[in-house]
Amino acid sequence: LQGYVKDYRSLTLYNLNKVFPDDPDYLSGTGLARGAELLLRYGSSLLDLYASYGLADVDVHSNGITYAPRYDRRHTVKAIGTIHIFGGLDGTLRWEYGSGYPFTQSVGTFSQLTLGGIGTDPRPEGSGSLTSALGTKNAARLPAYHRMDAGVAYRVTAGMFRGTVGVSVINIYDAKNILYFNRKTGKTAYMTPFLPTASLTLEF
């Protein structure tokens, strides 16, 4: 079990209050990360078991604005079990959970005009481009991430050669974990779906 506190006195952060072209793109800011991590392990000739839990809380501050950075994950749980079936044959089951990352919500949409020089038509294509109006920086959280993988591997040795033959399945129960959301189209892209794989590794 361990805990930590990290005080960041100088960070380079986006200027969230940028209005005019001459305003800087980046500003100096500060940050504070706090957390704790717990690891449990059990091993025997038949089983190897690992379980871990992480608790974290991170905030950054710049130009009067405080928010959670993009990869601030509050809770993380991992569990791995390996059974040594016989000889060089092992079976592994792995499960992972992570609470949602912060993101900035869309609170509305508007048509943004593209303004050129004097004498040009501010609406060359009609009503302008559709643009999202954003809410408070990283005030909401994405759905939680979770996934289970399983695999079987067999280790062989022949003279100077060592090899491993294995099969595995990623995301056994086909969890829909969000990778990306397109604000303009409303479509969501997801991480790796149910995916069986096979592998062969040789060493000498």
Side-chain angles (χ1 to χ4, degrees), residues 12-91:
T12 301
L13 304 172
Y14 288 113
N15 182 5
L16 301 180
N17 289 330
K18 181 180 174 70
V19 176
F20 301 104
D22 292 338
D23 291 341
D25 293 327
Y26 303 96
L27 294 174
S28 176
T30 60
L32 182 64
R34 304 165 294 258
E37 297 174 347
L38 172 67
L39 173 65
L40 300 175
R41 178 181 178 183
Y42 169 80
S44 71
S45 59
L46 178 63
L47 288 172
D48 283 319
L49 301 176
Y50 298 83
S52 66
Y53 170 71
L55 174 66
D57 183 17
V58 184
D59 292 309
V60 294
H61 181 82
S62 177
N63 200 21
I65 300 175
T66 300
Y67 59 94
R70 180 179 178 184
Y71 295 110
D72 175 37
R73 174 160 277 169
R74 191 75 69 242
H75 305 280
T76 303
V77 180
K78 296 180 181 180
I80 303 174
T82 299
I83 181 171
H84 308 294
I85 301 172
F86 64 83
L89 184 63
D90 295 333

Side-chain angles (χ1 to χ4, degrees), residues 32-162:
L32 182 64
R34 304 165 294 258
E37 297 174 347
L38 172 67
L39 173 65
L40 300 175
R41 178 181 178 183
Y42 169 80
S44 71
S45 59
L46 178 63
L47 288 172
D48 283 319
L49 301 176
Y50 298 83
S52 66
Y53 170 71
L55 174 66
D57 183 17
V58 184
D59 292 309
V60 294
H61 181 82
S62 177
N63 200 21
I65 300 175
T66 300
Y67 59 94
R70 180 179 178 184
Y71 295 110
D72 175 37
R73 174 160 277 169
R74 191 75 69 242
H75 305 280
T76 303
V77 180
K78 296 180 181 180
I80 303 174
T82 299
I83 181 171
H84 308 294
I85 301 172
F86 64 83
L89 184 63
D90 295 333
T92 301
L93 190 65
R94 178 179 183 274
W95 182 76
E96 181 176 351
Y97 168 89
S99 56
Y101 286 128
F103 77 103
T104 304
Q105 292 175 302
S106 298
V107 296
T109 57
F110 64 95
S111 182
Q112 185 177 37
L113 302 181
T114 303
L115 301 178
I118 297 176
T120 60
D121 185 357
R123 302 189 186 187
E125 299 178 357
S127 59
S129 60
L130 191 64
T131 303
S132 296
L134 303 180
T136 303
K137 174 71 173 179
N138 288 353
R141 294 271 172 172
L142 291 171
Y145 168 92
H146 55 93
R147 192 181 94 186
M148 179 177 287
D149 305 333
V152 177
Y154 181 64
R155 301 184 304 276
V156 295
T157 301
M160 62 181 294
F161 295 96
R162 297 189 303 273

Side-chain angles (χ1 to χ4, degrees), residues 103 142-144 175-193:
F103 77 103
L142 291 171
K176 301 296 184 183
N177 294 305
I178 293 178
L179 175 65
Y180 175 75
F181 178 78
N182 190 314
R183 297 180 191 271
K184 292 185 177 180
T185 64
K187 293 184 178 180
T188 302
Y190 295 97
M191 299 182 191
T192 307

